Amino acid sequence: MFLRLLADVRWRGADPKWRSAARCRSASGTAETQPVPLPAEARVVICGGGITGTSVAYHLAKLGWKDVVLLEQGRLAAGTTRFCAGIVSTARPVSIELKMADYSNKLYQQLEQETGVQTGYVKTGSVSLAQTQDRLISLKRIASSLNVSGIPCEIISPKQVAQLHPLINIHDLVGAMYVPEDALVLSANVSLALATAASRNGVQIHERTSVSHVSVQKGRVTGVETDRGHIKCQYFVNCAGQWAYELGHSGEEPVNIPLRTVVDPDGRIYIRNWQGGILSGGFEKNPKPLFTEGRNQLEIHNLQEDWDHFEPLLSSLLRRMPNLEALQIMQLVNCPESFTPDMRCIMGESPTVRGYFVLAGMNSAGISYGGGAGKYLAEWMVNGYPSENVWPLDLKRFGTLQSSRTFLRHRVMEVMPLICDLKVPRWDFQTGRQLRTSPLYDRLDAQGARWMEKHGFERVKYFVPPGKDLLDLDQSKTFYKPDWFDIVGSEVKCCKEAVCVIDMSSFTKFEISSTGDQALQSLQYLFSNDLDVPVGHVVHTGMLNENGGYENDCSIARLSKRSFFMISPTDQQVHCWAWLKNHLPEDSNLTIEDVTWKYTALNLIGPRAVDVLSELSYAPMTPEHFPSFFCKEMSVGYANGIRVMSITHTGEPGFMLYIPIEYALHVYNEVMNMGQKYGIRNAGYYALRSLRIEKFFAFWGQDLDAFTTPMECGREFQVKLEKGMEFVGQEALLEQKQNGVYKRFTMFILEDHDTDMDLWPWWGEPIFRNGRYVGKTTSSAYSYTLERHVCLGFVQHFDEKTGEELVVTTDFINQGEYEIDIAGQRFQAKAKLYPFSSLFAQRRRKDEVELSGYQRE
């Protein structure tokens, strides 16, 4: 049941000059007045007049960029914004999405007063219902995040739901989450209000103007071609919504924007009041992809009614509100919406075209995210970076493979139902799989490998022993102790006592070389550690930004005086490449090559790894002959040119083998055959995760990000402030060294947590010190060595009276009493700083502990 009155958008309130001047055609398409000419030049051109485009324009103007032109091919807010339900909800599981929604809510609340345009803002509150205990746990986790973020929220009983909404049938409910400050708006009018404010601040807005082509020269945006002429510009922002994908591929240099439109007539329900009636909609389990190529549709129109497709939603609605059976259905709205491969919106600068920015793919949450997303993108353009970590939304988290039409068609069929599905930790997408695989995939799969996907690459979670029920394990999803617990425990035990092999071929790998010393000089400038080391040495280092934050966390091996081999996290492939290309000098004597696909990477972990490799290479591999952080090309079996490094990224002894891809299967077979007498077995990333977290090794993208510096996470020893030349971020780190840091990376060992009975920590749990909120966990794992859960996270220090941010000292960390909040229940925890005295002295020899490795997932 969809009662919609937005089909006839009413532009109420102020009637700015751009509105009347731009109205150049009547409904029949005949000319009424001459359109205002387009400017020949602008600093920024924005394509799209929906909630995202007008928000970007509004915030750019607020930040002082006045020379901005917004182009809309139809009328403002006549795309998906027109059909939006207008629900502004802050109940989001991802931190950056929560912050965007919270900012949007506050912005919309004052927008009518600022502009005089009626936005229909009403603070109604929202109630999220739970029919199962798992759903209630999920809501409790979200509620914990909302409360510590300053957003009022409470878990309520079914009886309290009935008090808030007497028409709701509560017989099958186990609880709910109530967020009293969530709101409703008229989405199209919010866009109009943002456009009005932007226009008053100097932004030019032109309706009925289509962008056909983005001009690019030498990898930079130079202009925009429209049906009314050319505009020269420095920046272009693609906010075209449903048309963003096609527009991205229309330029001289294609910009891959992985989203696709999906028909959205029904699904799992939402309900809101609507001008004296009820509006309900949702997301169906069997969505219909809608493709826009070859169409010349200026505005989105209501598609043909499909009552059979709508029936599951209607039935669900009537079960929840039986009294509605007596009401009349006024209108069924069947409208399209844009979705992305991972259900998170897309923002940021193109990795291939400088000055080309994107904000699209709102996954039916455009009105909730629009205000905040526009703010962050505008900050990114003006300042060079946003005020929050937006990596989970960055366009560069995707590669070209996620823009395949076939991939998108299949993935969005899965994504849309997942919007409402319960998502427990460690769940995986099922579509678009087996796209990027190691040469060992079939061999590992036959041995019981269970797979997950990262950046399109298949990676092993764990190996199911013979005789285990594979189906049960594949379908095991829980917030509690998982069914794979003992399997991963046995892999960890083997890593510590014998030897294991983990296929880590998904690592990003680059080679940087030069004819002279250009490679060394360039890398010395871009990385914080000293890379002027002897040939054959490996250096852990950060690639930092001007604020000292991690843009990348990597290992670099010096292969020769003029050649370097760089290993980075899997999802750094696009981001790191773009960063290097944008910061390395344009020098024909300096080359960079992505060799990710050329090498298979095997991690040989455990005390018997040295025995296996010694016998296969006929060379001594003891620490005396092959010290830590050393790299050497060796023969393994019949294969030559294997790059062997004495690191494992886990703190355990062993080696990384980078194998030319044609030798991968041979080397793997040789390792497994030779290792039989030493108890060798396969292992997966879950074991690796447990090992790295209990050793306090940080993971880029989860523990480390562009707002985290080496000084804040105890990695000062990986920074050489006096290495003889300046490097990016040096000034910021010198300031932190002198003044102290405002957050500290800390390990927490849960003290009173029952692994078998209590909810598990995963990540994002609030941290309390002496009863006060001080931060969140960034990653968690069960330590099979300590037989306790270990959480990693950042602790901050705020003045109790003023709220002022204070320096976090070692004493502040060590003298506090800590608790970790898991879905509303707090557990005592013991805090440790990095580096720490060994917790495993009784089990491990001190010289086996790598104190300076990072896990790269």
Side-chain angles (χ1 to χ4, degrees):
M1 182 150 69
F2 240 122
L3 176 60
R4 292 287 193 179
L5 299 180
L6 285 178
D8 183 16
V9 179
R10 290 163 290 173
W11 305 104
R12 295 177 288 183
D15 188 21
K17 294 180 179 179
W18 60 264
R19 180 92 198 136
S20 55
R23 192 181 294 117
C24 59
R25 294 181 178 91
S26 67
S28 62
T30 57
E32 289 183 340
T33 60
Q34 289 298 318
V36 175
L38 297 179
E41 185 174 348
R43 189 176 197 174
V44 181
V45 172
I46 302 169
C47 177
I51 186 66
T52 57
T54 54
S55 178
V56 172
Y58 172 90
H59 287 96
L60 284 175
K62 288 285 186 180
L63 291 172
W65 281 22
K66 311 292 186 181
D67 189 11
V68 177
V69 174
L70 187 151
L71 306 178
E72 165 55 49
Q73 64 179 349
R75 298 172 296 158
L76 286 180
T80 53
T81 300
R82 171 187 176 192
F83 292 103
C84 179
I87 300 172
V88 185
S89 171
T90 55
R92 307 291 170 176
V94 180
S95 177
I96 186 61
E97 294 177 341
L98 185 157
K99 292 177 181 178
M100 289 195 304
D102 185 37
Y103 174 84
S104 297
N105 195 341
K106 293 171 180 174
L107 172 66
Y108 303 159
Q109 188 172 2
Q110 55 84 36
L111 202 55
E112 186 169 322
Q113 181 178 357
E114 177 184 350
T115 64
V117 178
Q118 297 179 27
T119 61
Y121 183 93
V122 180
K123 190 176 292 186
T124 60
S126 69
V127 178
S128 299
L129 308 178
Q131 297 183 36
T132 66
Q133 288 297 331
D134 274 347
R135 175 69 72 180
L136 188 60
I137 290 168
S138 177
L139 294 178
K140 287 179 178 179
R141 290 178 62 88
I142 294 173
S144 293
S145 293
L146 290 173
N147 282 321
V148 298
S149 300
I151 301 172
C153 175
E154 62 178 313
I155 299 298
I156 61 176
S157 67
K159 185 176 180 180
Q160 290 173 300
V161 172
Q163 292 172 351
L164 289 170
H165 288 272
L167 294 179
I168 294 291
N169 179 2
I170 65 170
H171 79 279
D172 58 346
L173 301 182
V174 297
M177 179 176 68
Y178 176 46
V179 185
E181 293 191 358
D182 279 356
L184 298 177
V185 295
L186 296 174
S187 304
N189 287 33
V190 169
S191 292
L192 174 62
L194 291 168
T196 299
S199 178
R200 289 173 180 171
N201 281 322
V203 174
Q204 297 184 52
I205 300 177
H206 297 266
E207 294 181 300
R208 308 289 184 185
T209 305
S210 298
V211 174
S212 58
H213 183 76
V214 179
S215 301
V216 177
Q217 291 183 8
K218 296 182 178 180
R220 282 206 69 98
V221 167
T222 58
V224 175
E225 197 68 43
T226 80
D227 59 352
R228 295 174 53 204
H230 184 80
I231 304 176
K232 184 179 178 182
C233 65
Q234 302 171 41
Y235 299 92
F236 176 75
V237 187
N238 185 340
C239 295
Q242 175 183 349
W243 296 275
Y245 178 92
E246 300 301 329
L247 180 58
H249 283 261
S250 67
E252 297 165 3
E253 178 70 36
V255 175
N256 292 304
I257 304 166
L259 58 87
R260 179 61 77 215
T261 303
V262 178
V263 178
D264 184 20
D266 52 23
R268 274 62 58 83
I269 63 172
Y270 57 81
I271 305 168
R272 58 157 291 185
N273 62 304
W274 183 266
Q275 300 184 358
I278 291 291
L279 181 150
S280 178
F283 307 93
E284 68 273 26
K285 290 186 177 181
N286 54 336
K288 300 177 180 179
L290 175 68
F291 290 84
T292 58
E293 58 264 26
R295 297 171 184 246
N296 187 26
Q297 185 182 17
L298 296 183
E299 299 176 0
I300 291 178
H301 299 284
N302 189 16
L303 304 173
Q304 183 177 358
E305 292 182 351
D306 188 342
W307 286 99
D308 290 337
H309 204 194
F310 180 75
E311 192 279 331
L313 171 62
L314 181 59
S315 296
S316 179
L317 172 63
L318 294 179
R319 283 194 300 271
R320 186 58 56 207
M321 300 181 70
N323 291 342
L324 295 185
E325 290 191 19
L327 299 184
Q328 178 184 2
I329 296 176
M330 300 298 296
Q331 183 185 10
L332 174 63
V333 174
N334 188 0
C335 57
E337 178 59 285
S338 300
F339 291 85
T340 63
D342 61 359
M343 298 185 292
R344 297 197 297 267
C345 76
I346 295 171
M347 70 163 60
E349 188 175 20
S350 162
T352 56
V353 181
R354 299 298 305 274
Y356 192 121
F357 286 81
V358 176
L359 182 56
M362 291 290 136
N363 299 283
S364 203
I367 197 65
S368 290
Y369 298 154
K375 171 180 181 287
Y376 293 141
L377 191 75
E379 291 172 344
W380 202 333
M381 297 174 66
V382 173
N383 303 324
Y385 50 87
S387 58
E388 296 284 350
N389 173 36
V390 298
W391 170 249
L393 315 177
D394 196 325
L395 171 62
K396 291 184 285 294
R397 72 186 187 272
F398 294 118
T400 55
L401 58 95
Q402 282 100 349
S403 290
S404 155
R405 294 183 190 274
T406 303
F407 171 86
L408 289 171
R409 174 183 285 272
H410 293 168
R411 177 55 65 86
V412 297
M413 294 285 284
E414 179 184 11
V415 160
M416 191 172 169
L418 285 172
I419 296 293
C420 291
D421 280 356
L422 178 68
K423 290 173 283 294
V424 300
R426 311 278 179 95
W427 62 273
D428 302 298
F429 288 109
Q430 301 303 309
T431 55
R433 300 293 299 271
Q434 299 182 33
L435 184 59
R436 302 177 72 192
T437 62
S438 160
L440 307 177
Y441 179 88
D442 289 339
R443 184 72 190 278
L444 299 179
D445 193 62
Q447 297 179 73
R450 299 296 91 185
W451 301 93
M452 60 183 178
E453 173 261 334
K454 183 84 166 183
H455 201 63
F457 216 113
E458 295 294 326
R459 309 196 309 179
V460 180
K461 296 187 285 190
Y462 50 81
F463 286 83
V464 179
K468 285 282 186 178
D469 191 328
L470 303 186
L471 185 62
D472 283 352
L473 279 171
D474 285 345
Q475 295 180 347
S476 172
K477 298 178 179 180
T478 179
F479 290 101
Y480 291 89
K481 180 180 176 180
D483 288 346
W484 45 256
F485 178 83
D486 291 331
I487 293 175
V488 173
S490 64
E491 293 180 2
V492 169
K493 179 180 174 66
C494 188
C495 287
K496 289 179 171 293
E497 298 179 357
V499 57
C500 278
V501 177
I502 302 180
D503 184 350
M504 301 178 69
S505 302
S506 65
F507 273 2
T508 296
K509 313 169 197 73
F510 296 150
E511 288 182 355
I512 303 104
S513 59
S514 60
T515 56
D517 63 354
Q518 299 95 334
L520 175 62
Q521 295 301 313
S522 298
L523 295 181
Q524 286 283 68
Y525 173 69
L526 289 179
F527 293 89
S528 60
N529 211 337
D530 189 359
L531 295 176
D532 193 5
V533 295
V535 172
H537 282 243
V538 182
V539 177
H540 284 301
T541 184
M543 184 174 74
L544 311 180
N545 54 39
E546 293 290 346
N547 295 320
Y550 281 96
E551 292 295 333
N552 187 12
D553 160 49
C554 57
S555 302
I556 299 180
R558 192 170 192 178
L559 303 179
S560 70
K561 287 187 176 181
R562 299 170 181 174
S563 177
F564 297 83
F565 185 51
M566 177 178 172
I567 305 106
S568 302
T570 301
D571 51 5
Q572 273 278 358
Q573 189 168 14
V574 176
H575 174 72
C576 183
W577 177 267
W579 184 272
L580 290 173
K581 295 294 285 186
N582 292 337
H583 289 81
L584 288 173
E586 294 185 7
D587 188 335
S588 59
N589 296 313
L590 178 66
T591 61
I592 174 174
E593 181 183 3
D594 185 345
V595 295
T596 300
W597 64 275
K598 287 187 176 182
Y599 292 93
T600 295
L602 293 183
N603 197 348
L604 200 60
I605 304 176
R608 306 314 298 266
V610 62
D611 300 305
V612 174
L613 205 54
S614 293
E615 293 196 40
L616 282 174
S617 61
Y618 294 96
M621 301 298 296
T622 60
E624 293 76 21
H625 298 91
F626 208 106
S628 295
F629 306 110
F630 191 69
C631 175
K632 184 179 180 180
E633 283 201 356
M634 303 177 63
S635 296
V636 178
Y638 296 147
N640 292 319
I642 311 301
R643 293 176 180 172
V644 179
M645 299 185 190
S646 49
I647 54 176
T648 65
H649 311 290
T650 63
E652 302 298 325
F655 304 91
M656 286 293 305
L657 280 62
Y658 290 93
I659 309 161
I661 199 165
E662 63 269 27
Y663 300 146
L665 190 57
H666 168 75
V667 172
Y668 173 78
N669 289 337
E670 290 290 297
V671 167
M672 295 303 289
N673 290 335
M674 183 62 69
Q676 290 302 314
K677 61 183 176 181
Y678 299 110
I680 199 168
R681 65 177 293 172
N682 293 298
Y685 271 82
Y686 283 11
L688 189 110
R689 180 183 179 87
S690 175
L691 290 168
R692 72 94 175 169
I693 288 178
E694 72 177 18
K695 294 301 191 306
F696 211 162
F697 288 3
F699 163 28
W700 188 90
Q702 191 161 325
D703 305 308
L704 307 180
D705 57 42
F707 290 82
T708 304
T709 75
M711 305 300 185
E712 295 166 345
C713 56
R715 269 66 178 178
E716 297 94 333
F717 60 90
Q718 293 183 0
V719 175
K720 297 299 183 287
L721 292 170
E722 311 298 335
K723 65 179 179 179
M725 66 175 296
E726 294 183 359
F727 61 87
V728 178
Q730 183 179 31
E731 186 176 339
L733 297 186
L734 284 169
E735 183 177 341
Q736 283 194 332
K737 184 178 181 181
Q738 179 178 348
N739 300 331
V741 297
Y742 292 93
K743 63 179 181 180
R744 292 286 294 271
F745 194 47
T746 309
M747 170 190 277
F748 298 95
I749 304 169
L750 297 192
E751 296 282 286
D752 59 343
H753 183 268
D754 187 326
T755 302
D756 294 321
M757 301 302 296
D758 291 327
L759 289 168
W760 275 30
W762 296 97
W763 57 82
E765 291 85 11
I767 304 167
F768 290 86
R769 178 187 182 274
N770 297 344
R772 292 177 60 85
Y773 170 71
V774 291
K776 285 186 177 181
T777 65
T778 51
S779 56
S780 302
Y782 181 79
S783 168
Y784 294 88
T785 307
L786 299 174
E787 298 181 347
R788 294 179 184 177
H789 258 96
V790 175
C791 302
L792 308 181
F794 286 91
V795 171
Q796 295 175 281
H797 185 191
F798 296 97
D799 186 277
E800 294 186 14
K801 295 182 179 179
T802 65
E804 178 187 0
E805 195 173 26
L806 304 175
V807 170
V808 179
T809 64
T810 300
D811 286 344
F812 179 80
I813 297 293
N814 292 336
Q815 294 173 6
E817 298 290 333
Y818 293 91
E819 295 172 303
I820 305 297
D821 181 320
I822 305 177
Q825 183 177 357
R826 296 187 188 182
F827 297 89
Q828 294 178 0
K830 187 176 182 179
K832 297 277 187 179
L833 283 173
Y834 189 98
F836 57 90
S837 58
S838 177
L839 298 170
F840 316 100
Q842 71 278 19
R843 305 169 188 262
R844 301 277 320 279
R845 298 196 313 273
K846 184 178 179 181
D847 62 2
E848 290 178 348
V849 179
E850 272 178 30
L851 281 181
S852 54
Y854 276 10
Q855 160 62 7
R856 269 168 262 292
E857 294 194 1

